[in-house]
Amino acid sequence: MEFKEVVGRRRSIRFFEPDKPVEREKIQIILETARLASCAVNAQWLRAIVVERDKLPPEKLSQLKTPVAALTLDLAPVHIYFFVDLGVVNRIKGSRLKELVDAGALAPTHGWSHKFVDDFVYPQILEPMTRNREGYLAAACADAGGAVHNALLAAFDEGLGACLNTPNPMLTRQVFGVPEDWISLWVMLVGYPAESWEAGGQRPRPPFEELYFEGEYGTPFRRDAAVVEKLKAAKMIQAPAPLPGRREEIRGLAERLGLPE
Ligand SMILES: Cc1cc2nc3c(=O)[nH]c(=O)nc-3n(C[C@H](O)[C@H](O)[C@H](O)COP(=O)(O)O)c2cc1C
């Protein structure tokens, strides 16, 4: 699928074929995509644990649920639990930056050398950053989140449906017995959609000009209608939800999957 169409077709899928298995290869592709995302100082905070729903003991499955992420966990045959490894920066101490120097990605033209990393970047920027817990958490989670969003697109490119949810923040670490310095981020629920791929249409967003500015706060970035038309033609901007017949579709899914209406 073309990139713009993948972006356009992605929407949170919440109805899955509960018993249709997902090919292991497709799960690997999702993880490979996350791994190639850009990452601040190439630290690689993101970790993932892939589980088949049916291999999770029922008590563990229920510990992972929240009131807004319960049925989706029951329906999706594969769950990918994402974590942020907060310990990584002080374990690697700038070594991945030095790898980038050796790879010719960070060049002397821009001031980079092993010495710059060892004498300045790690001790003066990175190590102090980890001591400001709140700022460090925000930076690491935002970074890992970007990688997960790339991976989410890969699921759709592979013809799957997916949705991100936040699993129970109190119990997820404990359920999987992860190291002390990992924190739970999100779960990606993955499977073949039981709903149509349109899933009722592209979901609402605030107006473009309310979100993006030009030059200064208060001056909206002008949205060119011709570009919008081009993106519609490329299937990135699609018909907005709710499409006609969505209520009937949900009723049919409820009946078929034995769900409350
Ligand atoms: C980090 C994150 C956590 C989310 N958590 C939940 C959740 O717990 N339950 C849920 O139904 N949807 C969850 N969603 C899905 C959003 O509600 C969804 O993105 C929103 O409805 C926008 O629609 P779209 O994803 O279909 O474009 C989450 C999305 C993200 C990115």
Side-chain angles (χ1 to χ4, degrees):
M1 219 186 296
E2 291 295 321
F3 174 75
K4 290 189 181 69
E5 187 175 353
V6 177
V7 173
R9 278 176 76 121
R10 190 217 57 79
R11 60 210 59 184
S12 294
I13 293 297
R14 295 184 174 85
F15 295 94
F16 296 95
E17 289 299 346
D19 300 317
K20 184 166 176 180
V22 177
E23 298 84 343
R24 190 181 168 84
E25 177 190 327
K26 294 190 175 188
I27 300 298
Q28 183 177 339
I29 290 169
I30 291 170
L31 299 172
E32 300 271 2
T33 306
R35 182 170 167 268
L36 290 178
S38 188
C39 174
V41 296
N42 215 16
Q44 307 299 335
W45 283 276
L46 189 69
R47 304 286 178 272
I49 297 181
V50 178
V51 292
E52 290 172 42
R53 177 206 55 215
D54 291 344
K55 290 189 180 162
L56 269 174
E59 68 281 5
K60 289 199 167 177
L61 181 61
S62 74
Q63 285 175 338
L64 293 163
K65 291 178 180 175
T66 73
V68 292
L71 177 64
T72 332
L73 271 74
D74 283 332
L75 292 178
V78 177
H79 302 179
I80 307 177
Y81 289 86
F82 287 103
F83 297 86
V84 179
D85 173 3
L86 292 176
V88 70
V89 167
N90 287 329
R91 278 201 313 276
I92 62 173
K93 300 190 190 309
S95 61
R96 293 208 183 114
L97 280 172
K98 289 192 275 184
E99 269 178 10
L100 292 177
V101 171
D102 294 340
L106 293 177
T109 47
H110 293 58
W112 288 97
S113 65
H114 282 216
K115 188 172 162 44
F116 181 56
V117 173
D118 286 338
D119 294 355
F120 180 71
V121 181
Y122 177 67
Q124 301 293 330
I125 300 180
L126 301 183
E127 197 280 329
M129 172 180 84
T130 63
R131 278 188 268 126
N132 166 9
R133 169 98 185 159
E134 210 175 299
Y136 180 53
L137 265 182
C141 290
D143 195 295
V148 175
H149 276 281
N150 280 7
L152 184 64
L153 290 174
F156 287 81
D157 192 44
E158 290 300 315
L160 298 164
C163 181
L164 293 175
N165 279 190
T166 307
N168 187 331
M170 311 305 285
L171 295 174
T172 303
R173 294 186 57 259
Q174 182 184 317
V175 165
F176 294 107
V178 299
E180 275 295 305
D181 45 12
W182 288 22
I183 56 165
S184 172
L185 183 64
W186 303 329
V187 56
M188 188 190 299
L189 301 159
V190 186
Y192 284 92
E195 50 193 322
S196 59
W197 73 263
E198 290 96 338
Q202 206 165 40
R203 281 45 188 289
R205 293 290 187 265
F208 183 91
E209 293 85 352
E210 218 174 81
L211 303 174
Y212 311 118
F213 303 94
E214 191 158 4
E216 58 182 358
Y217 171 72
T219 305
F221 188 96
R222 189 180 51 79
R223 195 182 197 201
D224 184 340
V227 175
V228 172
E229 288 311 310
K230 193 173 158 181
L231 295 179
K232 284 182 181 171
K235 301 186 182 139
M236 183 164 136
I237 297 179
Q238 302 192 359
L243 294 179
R246 178 59 172 167
R247 291 208 177 281
E248 293 70 27
E249 182 179 25
I250 292 176
R251 236 175 271 131
L253 286 162
E255 201 174 315
R256 180 161 75 81
L257 299 170
L259 308 173
E261 273 186 72

